[in-house]
Amino acid sequence: MSADEAALKTCHERINLSVAASHQAENGSVTTVSSKESEEATYAFLPPIESTDAHLHEFAEAMRTVGKALRQVAEGKAAAQAEAAEWKRKYESEKAAKAHTHHSVIKGCSNCVKDKLEHLASKLTLETASVDETGCCGNHGICSRQILQDQCPGPNRKSDDRIVGRKVPFRLSWGSNGDKNGQHKHDFVSFEKGDITTAERSNKQIFLKWDSPPQTVLFVTKPNSNSVHALCSEMVRWLKEHNNINIFVEPRVSKELLIEDSYFNFIQTWDNDQEMKTLHTKVDLIVTLGGDGTVLWAASLFKGPVPPVVAFSLGSLGFMIPFPSEQYRECLGNVLKRPFTITLRSRLQCHVIRDAAKDEVETGEPILVLNEVTIDRGMSSYLTYLECYCDSSFVTCVQGDGLIISTTSGSTAYSLAAGGSMVHPQVPGILFTPICPHSLSFRPLILPEYVTLRVQVPFNSRGQAWASFDGKGRIQLGPGDALICSVSPWPLPTACLVDSTTDFLRSIHEGLHWNLRKSQALDGPA
Ligand SMILES: NC(=O)c1ccc[n+]([C@@H]2O[C@H](COP(=O)([O-])OP(=O)(O)OC[C@H]3O[C@@H](n4cnc5c(N)ncnc54)[C@H](O)[C@@H]3O)[C@@H](O)[C@H]2O)c1
Ligand SMILES: Nc1ncnc2c1ncn2[C@@H]1O[C@H](COP(=O)(O)OP(=O)(O)OP(=O)(O)O)[C@@H](O)[C@H]1O
Protein backbone atom coordinates (compact mmCIF):
# COMPACT_ATOMS: atom_id res chain seq x y z
CA MET A 1 0.00 0.00 0.00
CA SER A 2 1.47 3.40 -1.00
CA ALA A 3 1.77 6.25 1.51
CA ASP A 4 -1.11 8.10 -0.21
CA GLU A 5 -3.34 5.05 -0.21
CA ALA A 6 -2.61 4.56 3.48
CA ALA A 7 -3.47 8.23 4.10
CA LEU A 8 -6.80 7.80 2.27
CA LYS A 9 -7.65 4.67 4.28
CA THR A 10 -7.02 6.70 7.45
CA CYS A 11 -9.35 9.38 6.04
CA HIS A 12 -12.16 6.83 5.67
CA GLU A 13 -11.69 5.53 9.17
CA ARG A 14 -11.63 9.03 10.63
CA ILE A 15 -14.77 10.06 8.82
CA ASN A 16 -16.52 7.06 10.35
CA LEU A 17 -15.15 7.93 13.78
CA SER A 18 -16.25 11.53 13.40
CA VAL A 19 -19.83 10.55 12.52
CA ALA A 20 -19.92 7.94 15.27
CA ALA A 21 -18.83 10.57 17.80
CA SER A 22 -21.78 12.77 16.84
CA HIS A 23 -24.15 9.85 17.24
CA GLN A 24 -22.80 9.06 20.69
CA ALA A 25 -23.64 12.60 21.73
CA GLU A 26 -27.31 11.91 21.07
CA ASN A 27 -27.56 9.79 24.20
CA GLY A 28 -25.56 11.99 26.49
CA SER A 29 -25.87 15.67 27.21
CA VAL A 30 -25.21 17.52 24.01
CA THR A 31 -24.07 21.02 23.34
CA THR A 32 -24.62 21.86 19.69
CA VAL A 33 -21.43 22.40 17.68
CA SER A 34 -21.26 25.33 15.28
CA SER A 35 -20.63 24.63 11.59
CA LYS A 36 -17.25 26.40 11.84
CA GLU A 37 -16.17 24.06 14.64
CA SER A 38 -17.52 21.19 12.60
CA GLU A 39 -15.44 22.23 9.59
CA GLU A 40 -12.31 22.59 11.71
CA ALA A 41 -12.92 19.17 13.18
CA THR A 42 -13.24 17.63 9.74
CA TYR A 43 -9.92 19.15 8.63
CA ALA A 44 -8.27 17.94 11.81
CA PHE A 45 -9.43 14.42 10.99
CA LEU A 46 -8.28 14.68 7.38
CA PRO A 47 -4.76 16.10 7.24
CA PRO A 48 -3.51 17.32 3.82
CA ILE A 49 -2.08 14.49 1.61
CA GLU A 50 1.42 15.08 0.38
CA SER A 51 1.25 13.73 -3.12
CA THR A 52 1.69 15.00 -6.61
CA ASP A 53 -1.15 12.83 -7.93
CA ALA A 54 -3.95 15.28 -8.88
CA HIS A 55 -6.62 12.54 -8.75
CA LEU A 56 -5.67 11.63 -5.23
CA HIS A 57 -5.89 15.30 -4.21
CA GLU A 58 -9.33 15.58 -5.79
CA PHE A 59 -10.47 12.40 -4.11
CA ALA A 60 -9.17 13.53 -0.73
CA GLU A 61 -11.00 16.86 -1.16
CA ALA A 62 -14.21 15.00 -2.00
CA MET A 63 -13.79 12.81 1.08
CA ARG A 64 -13.38 15.92 3.24
CA THR A 65 -16.60 17.33 1.84
CA VAL A 66 -18.45 14.07 2.44
CA GLY A 67 -17.04 13.86 5.96
CA LYS A 68 -18.12 17.42 6.68
CA ALA A 69 -21.63 16.83 5.35
CA LEU A 70 -22.05 13.59 7.29
CA ARG A 71 -20.85 15.20 10.46
CA GLN A 72 -23.24 18.14 10.06
CA VAL A 73 -26.19 15.79 9.46
CA ALA A 74 -25.31 13.76 12.53
CA GLU A 75 -24.88 16.91 14.63
CA GLY A 76 -28.24 18.26 13.45
CA LYS A 77 -29.94 15.02 14.36
CA ALA A 78 -28.21 14.91 17.74
CA ALA A 79 -29.30 18.48 18.50
CA ALA A 80 -32.91 17.75 17.52
CA GLN A 81 -32.95 14.63 19.64
CA ALA A 82 -31.38 16.44 22.57
CA GLU A 83 -34.09 19.08 22.33
CA ALA A 84 -36.81 16.43 22.18
CA ALA A 85 -35.21 14.63 25.15
CA GLU A 86 -35.20 17.91 27.06
CA TRP A 87 -38.93 18.41 26.42
CA LYS A 88 -39.61 14.83 27.41
CA ARG A 89 -37.56 15.28 30.58
CA LYS A 90 -39.54 18.42 31.44
CA TYR A 91 -42.81 16.66 30.77
CA GLU A 92 -41.87 13.67 32.90
CA SER A 93 -40.63 15.81 35.79
CA GLU A 94 -43.83 17.84 35.53
CA LYS A 95 -45.85 14.64 35.67
CA ALA A 96 -43.85 13.37 38.65
CA ALA A 97 -44.24 16.71 40.45
CA LYS A 98 -47.99 16.62 39.88
CA ALA A 99 -48.17 13.04 41.09
CA HIS A 100 -46.75 14.19 44.43
CA THR A 101 -48.94 17.19 44.89
CA HIS A 102 -52.26 15.75 43.79
CA HIS A 103 -54.36 13.53 45.97
CA SER A 104 -53.77 9.85 45.19
CA VAL A 105 -57.38 9.18 44.20
CA ILE A 106 -57.61 12.05 41.79
CA LYS A 107 -54.27 11.11 40.37
CA GLY A 108 -55.33 7.48 40.02
CA CYS A 109 -58.58 8.41 38.31
CA SER A 110 -57.11 10.82 35.85
CA ASN A 111 -54.25 8.49 35.02
CA CYS A 112 -56.42 5.48 34.40
CA VAL A 113 -58.85 7.49 32.32
CA LYS A 114 -55.92 9.02 30.46
CA ASP A 115 -54.40 5.63 29.79
CA LYS A 116 -57.66 4.23 28.55
CA LEU A 117 -58.34 7.23 26.37
CA GLU A 118 -54.86 7.07 24.93
CA HIS A 119 -55.65 3.47 24.15
CA LEU A 120 -58.89 4.56 22.50
CA ALA A 121 -57.12 7.33 20.62
CA SER A 122 -54.71 4.81 19.17
CA LYS A 123 -57.69 2.70 18.15
CA LEU A 124 -59.18 5.69 16.37
CA THR A 125 -56.31 5.73 13.96
CA LEU A 126 -55.49 2.05 13.92
CA GLU A 127 -58.91 0.50 13.94
CA THR A 128 -59.30 -3.00 15.33
CA ALA A 129 -62.64 -4.65 15.85
CA SER A 130 -61.42 -7.33 18.20
CA VAL A 131 -63.65 -8.31 21.09
CA ASP A 132 -62.45 -6.85 24.34
CA GLU A 133 -61.97 -9.17 27.28
CA THR A 134 -63.09 -6.52 29.73
CA GLY A 135 -66.55 -6.33 28.29
CA CYS A 136 -66.23 -3.97 25.34
CA CYS A 137 -68.68 -4.97 22.63
CA GLY A 138 -65.88 -5.03 20.09
CA ASN A 139 -68.34 -4.39 17.32
CA HIS A 140 -68.44 -1.41 15.03
CA GLY A 141 -66.01 0.88 16.75
CA ILE A 142 -64.94 2.03 20.16
CA CYS A 143 -66.74 1.24 23.37
CA SER A 144 -66.47 3.51 26.39
CA ARG A 145 -67.54 0.83 28.86
CA GLN A 146 -63.97 -0.10 29.64
CA ILE A 147 -63.21 3.36 30.92
CA LEU A 148 -66.31 3.40 33.02
CA GLN A 149 -65.72 0.02 34.60
CA ASP A 150 -62.32 1.20 35.68
CA GLN A 151 -63.48 4.36 37.43
CA CYS A 152 -61.21 4.47 40.42
CA PRO A 153 -62.61 3.81 43.86
CA GLY A 154 -60.70 5.40 46.72
CA PRO A 155 -60.82 7.35 49.94
CA ASN A 156 -62.22 10.47 48.23
CA ARG A 157 -64.99 8.54 46.64
CA LYS A 158 -67.63 9.85 49.07
CA SER A 159 -67.26 13.46 48.10
CA ASP A 160 -67.68 12.49 44.44
CA ASP A 161 -70.73 10.36 45.17
CA ARG A 162 -72.33 13.35 46.84
CA ILE A 163 -73.23 14.49 43.35
CA VAL A 164 -74.30 11.70 40.99
CA GLY A 165 -73.37 8.25 39.80
CA ARG A 166 -71.30 7.32 36.82
CA LYS A 167 -71.72 8.48 33.31
CA VAL A 168 -73.24 6.07 30.85
CA PRO A 169 -71.23 4.15 28.28
CA PHE A 170 -71.38 4.89 24.59
CA ARG A 171 -69.81 3.59 21.41
CA LEU A 172 -68.18 5.40 18.54
CA SER A 173 -68.29 4.05 15.03
CA TRP A 174 -67.42 5.20 11.56
CA GLY A 175 -69.83 5.35 8.69
CA SER A 176 -70.17 6.98 5.34
CA ASN A 177 -73.03 8.66 3.52
CA GLY A 178 -75.82 6.17 2.99
CA ASP A 179 -74.10 3.50 5.05
CA LYS A 180 -74.63 4.42 8.66
CA ASN A 181 -73.79 0.96 9.97
CA GLY A 182 -70.82 0.45 7.72
CA GLN A 183 -67.50 -0.31 9.25
CA HIS A 184 -64.70 1.28 7.27
CA LYS A 185 -61.04 0.65 7.01
CA HIS A 186 -59.19 3.07 9.20
CA ASP A 187 -55.61 2.48 8.19
CA PHE A 188 -54.52 5.59 6.38
CA VAL A 189 -51.66 3.98 4.54
CA SER A 190 -51.02 0.35 3.80
CA PHE A 191 -47.90 -1.27 2.49
CA GLU A 192 -48.77 -4.47 0.75
CA LYS A 193 -46.57 -6.40 -1.65
CA GLY A 194 -44.13 -3.52 -1.65
CA ASP A 195 -46.70 -0.95 -2.87
CA ILE A 196 -47.66 2.07 -0.81
CA THR A 197 -51.35 2.85 -1.07
CA THR A 198 -53.69 5.18 0.80
CA ALA A 199 -56.90 3.70 2.15
CA GLU A 200 -60.25 4.18 0.51
CA ARG A 201 -61.38 7.79 0.83
CA SER A 202 -64.95 7.32 2.00
CA ASN A 203 -66.90 10.10 3.65
CA LYS A 204 -66.05 9.02 7.16
CA GLN A 205 -68.41 10.27 9.81
CA ILE A 206 -68.11 9.43 13.47
CA PHE A 207 -71.30 8.18 15.12
CA LEU A 208 -71.94 8.20 18.83
CA LYS A 209 -74.38 5.61 20.15
CA TRP A 210 -75.33 5.41 23.84
CA ASP A 211 -75.28 1.96 25.38
CA SER A 212 -77.94 3.14 27.83
CA PRO A 213 -79.78 6.46 28.03
CA PRO A 214 -77.68 9.39 29.28
CA GLN A 215 -78.39 10.37 32.87
CA THR A 216 -76.55 13.61 33.49
CA VAL A 217 -76.47 16.86 31.53
CA LEU A 218 -74.34 19.94 32.25
CA PHE A 219 -75.69 23.32 31.13
CA VAL A 220 -73.21 26.08 30.19
CA THR A 221 -74.96 29.35 29.49
CA LYS A 222 -74.08 32.85 28.31
CA PRO A 223 -74.31 35.23 31.31
CA ASN A 224 -76.43 38.39 31.56
CA SER A 225 -79.01 37.32 29.01
CA ASN A 226 -82.69 37.10 29.94
CA SER A 227 -83.55 34.96 26.92
CA VAL A 228 -80.76 32.49 27.75
CA HIS A 229 -81.81 32.35 31.40
CA ALA A 230 -85.49 31.76 30.49
CA LEU A 231 -84.61 29.01 28.03
CA CYS A 232 -82.22 27.37 30.49
CA SER A 233 -84.87 27.10 33.21
CA GLU A 234 -87.43 25.76 30.69
CA MET A 235 -85.01 23.14 29.36
CA VAL A 236 -83.95 22.05 32.84
CA ARG A 237 -87.62 21.47 33.81
CA TRP A 238 -88.29 19.57 30.60
CA LEU A 239 -85.25 17.31 30.98
CA LYS A 240 -86.09 16.55 34.60
CA GLU A 241 -89.80 15.94 34.08
CA HIS A 242 -89.75 14.09 30.77
CA ASN A 243 -86.43 12.28 30.88
CA ASN A 244 -85.53 12.19 34.60
CA ILE A 245 -82.11 13.65 33.84
CA ASN A 246 -79.68 14.85 36.56
CA ILE A 247 -78.71 18.44 35.93
CA PHE A 248 -75.45 20.25 36.56
CA VAL A 249 -75.12 24.00 36.11
CA GLU A 250 -72.35 26.51 36.82
CA PRO A 251 -72.37 27.93 40.41
CA ARG A 252 -73.62 31.32 39.08
CA VAL A 253 -76.58 29.70 37.32
CA SER A 254 -77.37 27.50 40.31
CA LYS A 255 -77.78 30.63 42.47
CA GLU A 256 -79.95 32.31 39.82
CA LEU A 257 -82.26 29.30 39.46
CA LEU A 258 -82.63 28.80 43.22
CA ILE A 259 -83.53 32.47 43.70
CA GLU A 260 -86.11 32.08 40.96
CA ASP A 261 -87.81 28.96 42.37
CA SER A 262 -87.08 26.40 45.09
CA TYR A 263 -88.32 23.80 42.60
CA PHE A 264 -84.71 23.74 41.29
CA ASN A 265 -83.39 22.19 44.51
CA PHE A 266 -82.38 19.08 42.59
CA ILE A 267 -79.82 20.84 40.41
CA GLN A 268 -76.18 20.25 41.20
CA THR A 269 -73.08 22.35 40.88
CA TRP A 270 -69.48 22.35 42.11
CA ASP A 271 -67.84 24.26 44.93
CA ASN A 272 -64.20 24.31 43.93
CA ASP A 273 -61.71 23.58 41.18
CA GLN A 274 -60.99 20.11 42.48
CA GLU A 275 -64.64 19.09 42.11
CA MET A 276 -64.76 20.70 38.70
CA LYS A 277 -61.80 18.61 37.59
CA THR A 278 -63.82 15.42 38.12
CA LEU A 279 -66.86 16.74 36.24
CA HIS A 280 -66.00 14.84 33.07
CA THR A 281 -66.43 11.56 34.94
CA LYS A 282 -70.03 12.39 35.85
CA VAL A 283 -71.44 14.33 32.94
CA ASP A 284 -72.77 12.48 29.88
CA LEU A 285 -73.60 15.50 27.78
CA ILE A 286 -73.01 19.25 27.80
CA VAL A 287 -75.69 21.63 26.55
CA THR A 288 -74.54 25.16 25.68
CA LEU A 289 -76.92 28.09 25.30
CA GLY A 290 -75.37 31.16 23.69
CA GLY A 291 -73.00 31.89 20.82
CA ASP A 292 -69.58 30.54 19.83
CA GLY A 293 -68.10 32.27 22.89
CA THR A 294 -70.18 29.99 25.11
CA VAL A 295 -68.85 26.88 23.34
CA LEU A 296 -65.32 28.25 23.86
CA TRP A 297 -66.15 28.84 27.53
CA ALA A 298 -67.54 25.31 27.96
CA ALA A 299 -64.38 23.85 26.37
CA SER A 300 -62.21 25.93 28.70
CA LEU A 301 -63.83 24.31 31.77
CA PHE A 302 -62.33 20.94 30.78
CA LYS A 303 -58.56 20.63 30.95
CA GLY A 304 -58.75 16.95 29.98
CA PRO A 305 -61.46 14.83 28.35
CA VAL A 306 -64.67 16.62 27.37
CA PRO A 307 -68.13 14.99 27.15
CA PRO A 308 -70.04 15.54 23.87
CA VAL A 309 -71.43 19.07 23.44
CA VAL A 310 -74.89 19.90 22.06
CA ALA A 311 -74.78 23.60 21.21
CA PHE A 312 -78.01 25.63 20.91
CA SER A 313 -77.88 28.90 19.08
CA LEU A 314 -78.70 32.10 20.97
CA GLY A 315 -75.99 34.35 19.57
CA SER A 316 -75.57 36.27 16.31
CA LEU A 317 -73.21 34.00 14.35
CA GLY A 318 -73.12 30.51 15.89
CA PHE A 319 -70.49 28.96 13.68
CA MET A 320 -70.00 25.94 15.90
CA ILE A 321 -73.68 25.85 16.86
CA PRO A 322 -75.95 23.83 14.59
CA PHE A 323 -79.02 23.33 16.84
CA PRO A 324 -81.92 25.83 16.71
CA SER A 325 -83.03 26.63 20.28
CA GLU A 326 -86.71 26.79 19.26
CA GLN A 327 -86.64 23.07 18.48
CA TYR A 328 -84.79 21.98 21.58
CA ARG A 329 -87.29 19.22 22.50
CA GLU A 330 -86.91 17.42 19.20
CA CYS A 331 -83.14 18.00 18.99
CA LEU A 332 -82.39 16.91 22.57
CA GLY A 333 -84.83 14.01 22.29
CA ASN A 334 -82.90 12.72 19.27
CA VAL A 335 -79.49 13.16 20.87
CA LEU A 336 -80.59 11.41 24.08
CA LYS A 337 -82.18 8.43 22.34
CA ARG A 338 -80.59 7.89 18.93
CA PRO A 339 -77.07 7.63 17.51
CA PHE A 340 -75.77 10.97 16.24
CA THR A 341 -72.74 12.16 14.31
CA ILE A 342 -70.05 14.17 16.06
CA THR A 343 -67.26 16.47 14.93
CA LEU A 344 -64.06 15.88 16.85
CA ARG A 345 -62.66 19.40 17.18
CA SER A 346 -58.98 19.35 18.03
CA ARG A 347 -57.65 21.71 20.70
CA LEU A 348 -54.16 23.14 21.17
CA GLN A 349 -52.24 22.81 24.42
CA CYS A 350 -50.01 25.79 25.14
CA HIS A 351 -47.17 26.29 27.61
CA VAL A 352 -45.46 29.58 28.35
CA ILE A 353 -41.80 29.07 29.21
CA ARG A 354 -40.20 32.05 30.92
CA ASP A 355 -36.59 32.78 30.10
CA ALA A 356 -35.89 33.24 33.81
CA ALA A 357 -37.23 29.75 34.52
CA LYS A 358 -36.00 27.91 31.46
CA ASP A 359 -33.72 25.64 33.49
CA GLU A 360 -36.41 24.83 36.03
CA VAL A 361 -38.99 22.09 35.86
CA GLU A 362 -42.20 23.41 34.32
CA THR A 363 -45.04 22.73 36.72
CA GLY A 364 -47.80 24.85 35.21
CA GLU A 365 -50.73 23.09 33.54
CA PRO A 366 -51.08 23.64 29.81
CA ILE A 367 -53.65 26.15 28.60
CA LEU A 368 -56.08 24.52 26.18
CA VAL A 369 -57.63 26.46 23.31
CA LEU A 370 -60.38 25.50 20.91
CA ASN A 371 -59.89 28.38 18.47
CA GLU A 372 -56.40 29.79 18.67
CA VAL A 373 -53.53 31.26 20.61
CA THR A 374 -52.58 34.73 19.43
CA ILE A 375 -49.31 36.55 20.01
CA ASP A 376 -49.71 40.24 19.28
CA ARG A 377 -48.01 43.57 19.94
CA GLY A 378 -50.44 44.66 22.69
CA MET A 379 -50.24 48.38 23.39
CA SER A 380 -46.83 48.68 21.79
CA SER A 381 -46.63 50.66 18.59
CA TYR A 382 -43.50 48.77 17.44
CA LEU A 383 -43.55 45.71 15.23
CA THR A 384 -43.63 42.41 17.08
CA TYR A 385 -40.56 40.36 16.36
CA LEU A 386 -41.06 36.64 16.91
CA GLU A 387 -38.83 33.69 16.05
CA CYS A 388 -40.81 30.60 15.11
CA TYR A 389 -39.71 26.98 15.10
CA CYS A 390 -41.56 23.84 14.02
CA ASP A 391 -40.17 20.88 15.97
CA SER A 392 -36.47 21.72 15.73
CA SER A 393 -36.65 23.43 12.32
CA PHE A 394 -36.57 27.18 12.01
CA VAL A 395 -39.77 28.41 10.31
CA THR A 396 -39.47 32.17 10.07
CA CYS A 397 -39.29 35.48 11.93
CA VAL A 398 -42.62 37.28 12.21
CA GLN A 399 -42.32 41.05 11.92
CA GLY A 400 -45.75 42.62 12.00
CA ASP A 401 -48.71 42.90 14.35
CA GLY A 402 -48.43 39.31 15.49
CA LEU A 403 -49.14 35.68 14.82
CA ILE A 404 -52.15 33.39 15.17
CA ILE A 405 -51.67 29.68 15.81
CA SER A 406 -55.08 28.23 15.18
CA THR A 407 -56.94 24.96 15.22
CA THR A 408 -59.01 24.05 12.19
CA SER A 409 -62.16 24.96 14.19
CA GLY A 410 -60.61 28.38 14.80
CA SER A 411 -59.85 28.77 11.08
CA THR A 412 -63.18 30.60 10.60
CA ALA A 413 -62.51 32.98 13.52
CA TYR A 414 -59.56 35.39 13.98
CA SER A 415 -57.32 33.48 11.57
CA LEU A 416 -59.86 34.01 8.79
CA ALA A 417 -59.92 37.75 9.50
CA ALA A 418 -56.11 37.77 9.18
CA GLY A 419 -56.20 36.10 5.75
CA GLY A 420 -55.97 32.44 6.73
CA SER A 421 -57.81 29.74 4.84
CA MET A 422 -61.06 28.21 6.08
CA VAL A 423 -60.42 24.57 6.96
CA HIS A 424 -62.93 21.79 7.64
CA PRO A 425 -62.74 21.10 11.41
CA GLN A 426 -61.87 17.44 10.92
CA VAL A 427 -58.80 18.15 8.77
CA PRO A 428 -55.84 17.29 11.00
CA GLY A 429 -53.71 20.44 10.97
CA ILE A 430 -52.49 23.59 12.70
CA LEU A 431 -52.83 26.99 11.02
CA PHE A 432 -49.93 29.43 11.16
CA THR A 433 -51.35 32.84 10.21
CA PRO A 434 -49.46 36.14 10.51
CA ILE A 435 -51.32 39.31 11.52
CA CYS A 436 -50.46 42.23 9.21
CA PRO A 437 -46.93 41.00 8.38
CA HIS A 438 -44.60 43.72 7.14
CA SER A 439 -43.52 41.64 4.19
CA LEU A 440 -45.11 41.09 0.79
CA SER A 441 -44.44 37.38 0.70
CA PHE A 442 -45.59 36.13 4.08
CA ARG A 443 -48.50 33.80 3.23
CA PRO A 444 -50.31 31.76 5.88
CA LEU A 445 -49.28 28.12 6.37
CA ILE A 446 -51.11 24.96 7.40
CA LEU A 447 -48.86 22.51 9.23
CA PRO A 448 -49.49 18.86 10.11
CA GLU A 449 -51.18 18.21 13.45
CA TYR A 450 -48.27 16.22 14.89
CA VAL A 451 -45.77 19.08 15.05
CA THR A 452 -44.78 21.16 18.07
CA LEU A 453 -44.52 24.88 17.46
CA ARG A 454 -42.28 27.22 19.46
CA VAL A 455 -42.60 30.98 19.27
CA GLN A 456 -39.81 32.87 20.97
CA VAL A 457 -39.38 36.55 21.73
CA PRO A 458 -35.73 37.32 20.87
CA PHE A 459 -33.63 39.54 23.11
CA ASN A 460 -33.31 42.15 20.40
CA SER A 461 -37.10 42.57 19.99
CA ARG A 462 -38.09 46.24 20.22
CA GLY A 463 -41.71 45.68 21.08
CA GLN A 464 -43.57 43.65 23.64
CA ALA A 465 -45.49 40.51 22.85
CA TRP A 466 -48.76 39.42 24.40
CA ALA A 467 -50.29 35.96 24.19
CA SER A 468 -54.06 35.42 24.44
CA PHE A 469 -55.99 32.19 24.46
CA ASP A 470 -59.31 32.01 22.61
CA GLY A 471 -59.35 35.79 22.98
CA LYS A 472 -58.91 35.64 26.76
CA GLY A 473 -56.28 35.48 29.54
CA ARG A 474 -53.65 37.83 28.12
CA ILE A 475 -50.08 37.11 29.24
CA GLN A 476 -47.09 39.30 28.50
CA LEU A 477 -44.07 37.60 26.94
CA GLY A 478 -40.71 39.22 27.64
CA PRO A 479 -37.43 38.82 25.74
CA GLY A 480 -36.30 35.18 25.94
CA ASP A 481 -39.78 33.90 26.82
CA ALA A 482 -41.30 31.24 24.59
CA LEU A 483 -44.71 29.81 23.84
CA ILE A 484 -44.85 26.11 23.00
CA CYS A 485 -47.94 24.59 21.46
CA SER A 486 -49.08 21.29 20.04
CA VAL A 487 -52.35 19.45 19.49
CA SER A 488 -53.90 18.23 22.72
CA PRO A 489 -55.02 14.60 23.06
CA TRP A 490 -58.38 15.93 24.34
CA PRO A 491 -60.58 17.17 21.51
CA LEU A 492 -64.02 18.74 21.90
CA PRO A 493 -66.69 16.42 20.48
CA THR A 494 -69.63 18.47 19.19
CA ALA A 495 -72.92 16.91 18.11
CA CYS A 496 -73.85 17.55 14.47
CA LEU A 497 -77.30 18.46 13.27
CA VAL A 498 -76.78 16.60 9.97
CA ASP A 499 -73.11 15.62 9.68
CA SER A 500 -69.76 17.31 10.05
CA THR A 501 -69.42 18.46 6.43
CA THR A 502 -73.03 19.56 5.93
CA ASP A 503 -72.93 21.54 9.17
CA PHE A 504 -69.59 23.18 8.23
CA LEU A 505 -70.85 24.22 4.80
CA ARG A 506 -74.09 25.52 6.29
CA SER A 507 -72.07 27.65 8.71
CA ILE A 508 -69.89 29.24 6.03
CA HIS A 509 -72.91 29.88 3.79
CA GLU A 510 -75.32 31.17 6.42
CA GLY A 511 -72.86 32.59 8.94
CA LEU A 512 -70.34 34.21 6.61
CA HIS A 513 -72.32 34.43 3.34
CA TRP A 514 -69.37 32.77 1.67
CA ASN A 515 -69.10 33.45 -2.07
CA LEU A 516 -72.51 35.03 -2.27
CA ARG A 517 -72.88 36.59 -5.69
CA LYS A 518 -75.76 37.31 -7.98
CA SER A 519 -75.87 34.97 -10.99
CA GLN A 520 -75.05 36.47 -14.39
CA ALA A 521 -77.93 37.29 -16.70
CA LEU A 522 -78.56 34.85 -19.54
CA ASP A 523 -78.67 37.54 -22.23
CA GLY A 524 -74.89 38.10 -22.40
CA PRO A 525 -72.40 37.07 -25.11
CA ALA A 526 -72.85 33.55 -26.57
N1 LIG B 1 -60.56 40.28 14.02
C1 LIG B 1 -61.24 39.21 14.42
O1 LIG B 1 -61.94 38.54 13.66
C2 LIG B 1 -61.15 38.78 15.85
C3 LIG B 1 -60.49 39.57 16.79
C4 LIG B 1 -60.42 39.10 18.10
C5 LIG B 1 -60.99 37.87 18.45
N2 LIG B 1 -61.62 37.15 17.51
C6 LIG B 1 -62.17 35.82 17.81
O2 LIG B 1 -63.06 35.84 18.89
C7 LIG B 1 -62.88 34.63 19.58
C8 LIG B 1 -63.44 34.76 20.96
O3 LIG B 1 -64.84 34.72 20.81
P1 LIG B 1 -65.79 35.43 21.88
O4 LIG B 1 -67.19 35.10 21.52
O5 LIG B 1 -65.29 35.12 23.25
O6 LIG B 1 -65.47 36.95 21.59
P2 LIG B 1 -66.41 38.06 20.88
O7 LIG B 1 -67.61 38.28 21.74
O8 LIG B 1 -65.51 39.19 20.57
O9 LIG B 1 -66.91 37.35 19.55
C9 LIG B 1 -66.06 37.07 18.47
C10 LIG B 1 -66.87 36.63 17.24
O10 LIG B 1 -66.15 35.57 16.64
C11 LIG B 1 -67.06 34.49 16.38
N3 LIG B 1 -66.38 33.23 16.51
C12 LIG B 1 -65.81 32.69 17.62
N4 LIG B 1 -65.29 31.50 17.34
C13 LIG B 1 -65.56 31.26 16.02
C14 LIG B 1 -65.27 30.19 15.14
N5 LIG B 1 -64.58 29.14 15.55
N6 LIG B 1 -65.68 30.28 13.86
C15 LIG B 1 -66.34 31.36 13.43
N7 LIG B 1 -66.63 32.40 14.21
C16 LIG B 1 -66.24 32.36 15.49
C17 LIG B 1 -68.16 34.62 17.42
O11 LIG B 1 -69.37 34.05 16.93
C18 LIG B 1 -68.28 36.12 17.55
O12 LIG B 1 -69.19 36.63 16.63
C19 LIG B 1 -61.40 34.41 19.55
O13 LIG B 1 -61.06 33.07 19.74
C20 LIG B 1 -61.05 34.91 18.17
O14 LIG B 1 -61.01 33.88 17.23
C21 LIG B 1 -61.71 37.58 16.22
N1 LIG C 1 -70.77 30.44 30.98
C1 LIG C 1 -70.06 31.54 30.77
N2 LIG C 1 -69.40 32.14 31.78
C2 LIG C 1 -68.68 33.25 31.58
N3 LIG C 1 -68.57 33.87 30.40
C3 LIG C 1 -69.19 33.33 29.34
C4 LIG C 1 -69.97 32.14 29.47
N4 LIG C 1 -70.51 31.85 28.27
C5 LIG C 1 -70.06 32.79 27.43
N5 LIG C 1 -69.29 33.69 28.06
C6 LIG C 1 -68.64 34.86 27.47
O1 LIG C 1 -69.66 35.75 27.03
C7 LIG C 1 -69.25 36.35 25.80
C8 LIG C 1 -70.39 36.30 24.80
O2 LIG C 1 -70.78 34.96 24.58
P1 LIG C 1 -71.23 34.42 23.17
O3 LIG C 1 -70.18 34.66 22.16
O4 LIG C 1 -71.66 33.02 23.38
O5 LIG C 1 -72.51 35.29 22.89
P2 LIG C 1 -72.77 36.30 21.75
O6 LIG C 1 -71.74 37.35 21.77
O7 LIG C 1 -74.20 36.72 21.89
O8 LIG C 1 -72.68 35.40 20.47
P3 LIG C 1 -72.17 35.87 19.05
O9 LIG C 1 -70.72 36.14 19.25
O10 LIG C 1 -72.47 34.72 18.16
O11 LIG C 1 -72.96 37.08 18.74
C9 LIG C 1 -68.02 35.59 25.33
O12 LIG C 1 -66.90 36.44 25.45
C10 LIG C 1 -67.87 34.44 26.25
O13 LIG C 1 -66.53 34.19 26.61
Side-chain angles (χ1 to χ4, degrees), residues 37-51:
E37 283 168 311
S38 165
E39 198 166 327
E40 283 166 2
T42 308
Y43 272 85
F45 276 117
L46 298 173
I49 297 168
E50 288 172 16
S51 166

Side-chain angles (χ1 to χ4, degrees), residues 431-459:
L431 284 81
F432 182 91
T433 313
I435 310 171
C436 298
H438 197 236
S439 142
L440 293 176
S441 54
F442 195 165
R443 297 298 177 96
L445 285 181
I446 303 177
L447 295 160
E449 35 114 46
Y450 53 79
V451 300
T452 298
L453 292 169
R454 179 156 58 95
V455 179
Q456 187 133 4
V457 183
F459 286 96

Side-chain angles (χ1 to χ4, degrees), residues 220-223 250 252 290-294 297 314-318 472:
V220 178
T221 57
K222 178 171 80 169
E250 292 174 271
R252 164 186 55 83
D292 291 311
T294 308
W297 185 270
L314 279 123
S316 64
L317 187 53
K472 298 219 168 353

